[in-house]
Amino acid sequence: MADFDKVLCCWPAVEADFPGVGNLVLTRLFEQYPATQAKFTKFATVPHSELPSNKLVSAHGATVLKKLGELLNARGSHGDIIAAMAETHANTHKVTIQNFKDITEIIVNIMAEKAGLNGEGQAALRRIMTNIISDMEANYKKIGVKG
């Protein structure tokens, strides 16, 4: 539980600007891992220079962060949330387990920059995300999808 507290103490800064922070998360994801942008059909062809001002990127980034907030606030009791996410992310969106690992470090860095997440908080978020991703991978296997 202490890990969740270390992260959630900084979460209000993220909640205050879900679209802006979410856009930054996705823009960096697409810059650092260009192949991931193709998984998002609504903005797969948006030039990188236009991502920061794209309303669809901001809206989806907000969705990503709201779901992360839900997972964080579940404080480890996230089985139902993960099961539903696994189904859609594996079968519909074709998101790999590696994609979750990739976005984790981006979120950690952005939370440090934008929400003041300190070193202990960053380590806590990495541990939390490792558990979430492990549970996601187990759910992928249950539904017959290799992560």
Side-chain angles (χ1 to χ4, degrees):
M1 290 303 160
D3 277 351
F4 291 98
D5 292 335
K6 289 176 184 173
V7 176
L8 287 169
C9 70
C10 294
W11 195 248
V14 176
E15 286 179 317
D17 188 15
F18 275 139
V21 177
N23 181 291
L24 187 56
V25 167
L26 292 183
T27 296
R28 285 204 191 159
L29 178 69
F30 301 154
E31 288 171 351
Q32 293 178 25
Y33 304 96
T36 60
Q37 188 173 346
K39 294 179 184 289
F40 298 84
T41 55
K42 289 182 183 178
F43 38 86
T45 60
V46 174
H48 282 229
S49 62
E50 295 176 18
L51 290 171
S53 62
N54 188 286
K55 290 182 193 291
L56 292 175
V57 174
S58 296
H60 192 75
T63 299
V64 168
L65 292 177
K66 288 174 185 176
K67 185 58 71 175
L68 177 58
E70 186 180 346
L71 288 163
L72 292 170
N73 281 301
R75 295 177 174 265
S77 299
H78 54 242
D80 291 342
I81 302 167
I82 293 291
M85 282 182 63
E87 184 67 37
T88 59
H89 283 72
N91 293 321
T92 304
H93 305 304
K94 308 297 183 202
V95 175
T96 67
I97 295 301
Q98 185 60 49
N99 294 144
F100 288 107
K101 292 175 182 177
D102 295 340
I103 201 170
T104 293
E105 199 56 32
I106 291 166
I107 292 170
V108 168
N109 291 332
I110 289 173
M111 282 196 66
E113 293 168 26
K114 299 296 183 184
L117 190 67
N118 65 19
E120 284 185 28
Q122 292 170 44
L125 182 53
R126 286 184 185 101
R127 285 189 296 273
I128 291 167
M129 290 304 295
T130 296
N131 289 333
I132 289 170
I133 293 167
S134 176
D135 291 346
M136 183 71 74
E137 188 168 24
N139 274 272
Y140 271 38
K141 288 177 183 173
K142 280 184 194 174
I143 60 176
V145 176
K146 234 182 178 179

